[in-house]
Amino acid sequence: MKGIFMKRKLFALTVMLIIACIASSDVFALITMGPPVSELNKGQYAAGIDYSYAKSNFRLVKGTSPGGGPSFTLEDVKTNFIYGKVGYGLTENIDIYIGAGGGSARGDDAANSTSIDFDGDNGFSYGIGAKVTLHEADDIKYGATFLLYNAETDGRMVAGGVRWSTDMDVTELQASVGAIKQINERCSIYGGPFIHQFDGDLNATDNTSRQISYDIRESDWFGGYVGSQINICENVFYNLEYQHTPSDNALAMSLLFKF
């Protein structure tokens, strides 16, 4: 009985550490995609800010830890994410973007009947993106967009009274194809299917050289989104959209200034 109790305690400690690491990073986030077509003229610049709130599930797999490293799902991770970007019209049909952002996470998980709550701190990530118009007919445009972003975080965490040195490296790809339709002079609607690919590694070591290592994966990688774009005034646009996969829901918005 004592051995079973210690194993469960070590596993709970592992889960607490993983949650602490995730809570200190912004990397678990669906971010605003906007219309899946180019929006800039050739040679035109833009600056924007995106915000998203998401609720997601993530899988922890291929683990090694003092608790044995069993795979499990971290459920109901709630993230707030802010992402600043600048864009450039490479051609009449291709826009490119670079950006950086930060966010916070909060959630709870029940693993082996161990309920754990956590609060997240701020983190940092950076990325690139592109939008392409593939076809245009009357008041409808068809195209594609993709975002590729990366985050590397390290620090010292305390979980279960034990201090750990941690580091995490995550890369995410978010891409979509779809269309945008002009409703009137100021309003358009857009949407389409999208994919969200996630590849992350979590590693930690305590002062007795015990180690924890996990691969982090998305629970579901395919979904769809729908949104509306409003032309607030000349060269200023506001987007509001909803993204969904079987394990993720996100409400996202953005402001884009063209100049």
Side-chain angles (χ1 to χ4, degrees), residues 19 43 52 59 71 85 92 109 172 218 232 243 252-253:
I19 290 175
S52 65
R59 295 184 297 115
S71 298
K85 63 187 179 183
E92 290 297 332
D109 183 64
E172 294 188 64
E218 75 282 343
I232 298 176
Q243 304 174 15
M253 61 188 74

Side-chain angles (χ1 to χ4, degrees), residues 29-259:
L30 290 168
I31 65 176
T32 313
M33 289 185 287
V37 296
S38 61
E39 300 181 86
L40 305 177
N41 298 323
K42 182 179 179 180
Q44 187 177 28
Y45 290 90
I49 184 167
D50 300 344
Y51 168 79
S52 65
Y53 171 80
K55 185 176 179 181
S56 308
N57 298 338
F58 295 94
R59 295 184 297 115
L60 285 297
V61 299
K62 299 180 181 179
T64 59
S65 76
S71 298
F72 64 96
T73 298
L74 185 63
E75 299 181 347
D76 297 334
V77 178
K78 303 173 184 69
T79 58
N80 291 276
F81 186 67
I82 297 178
Y83 191 80
K85 63 187 179 183
V86 294
Y88 177 73
L90 192 63
T91 71
E92 290 297 332
N93 294 317
I94 302 175
D95 302 342
I96 56 175
Y97 292 88
I98 59 172
S104 63
R106 178 179 172 83
D108 56 77
D109 183 64
N112 278 9
S113 300
T114 304
S115 179
I116 303 170
D117 296 325
F118 66 88
D119 288 300
D121 300 321
N122 292 329
F124 178 78
S125 69
Y126 55 92
I128 60 173
K131 295 188 173 189
V132 180
T133 297
L134 301 174
H135 180 68
E136 183 175 357
D138 298 327
D139 57 354
I140 302 179
K141 292 182 180 181
Y142 303 88
T145 182
F146 88 92
L147 302 163
L148 180 66
Y149 48 108
N150 177 265
E152 297 180 10
T153 63
D154 58 72
R156 299 187 66 83
M157 302 291 176
V158 177
V162 179
R163 185 176 296 275
W164 300 80
S165 297
T166 65
D167 66 84
M168 183 163 55
D169 188 343
V170 173
T171 300
E172 294 188 64
L173 170 66
Q174 201 166 320
S176 72
V177 295
I180 181 171
K181 177 179 174 59
Q182 189 82 29
I183 302 300
N184 54 46
E185 291 183 356
R186 290 190 174 273
C187 182
S188 301
I189 57 172
Y190 61 87
F194 73 91
I195 61 172
H196 178 230
Q197 292 287 320
F198 185 97
D199 186 18
D201 298 301
L202 167 67
N203 298 284
T205 306
D206 71 358
N207 57 10
T208 63
S209 298
R210 290 187 301 177
Q211 295 184 347
I212 290 175
S213 177
Y214 267 89
D215 290 348
I216 314 171
R217 301 287 183 264
E218 75 282 343
S219 291
D220 294 283
W221 59 272
F222 183 78
Y225 80 119
V226 61
S228 176
Q229 183 178 77
I230 299 174
N231 186 357
I232 298 176
C233 59
E234 185 178 3
N235 291 330
V236 180
F237 297 84
Y238 172 75
N239 298 321
L240 177 65
E241 67 189 47
Y242 170 70
Q243 304 174 15
H244 173 77
T245 76
S247 59
D248 306 273
N249 289 282
L251 183 65
M253 61 188 74
S254 68
L255 274 175
L256 185 69
F257 304 85
K258 301 179 183 180
F259 51 91

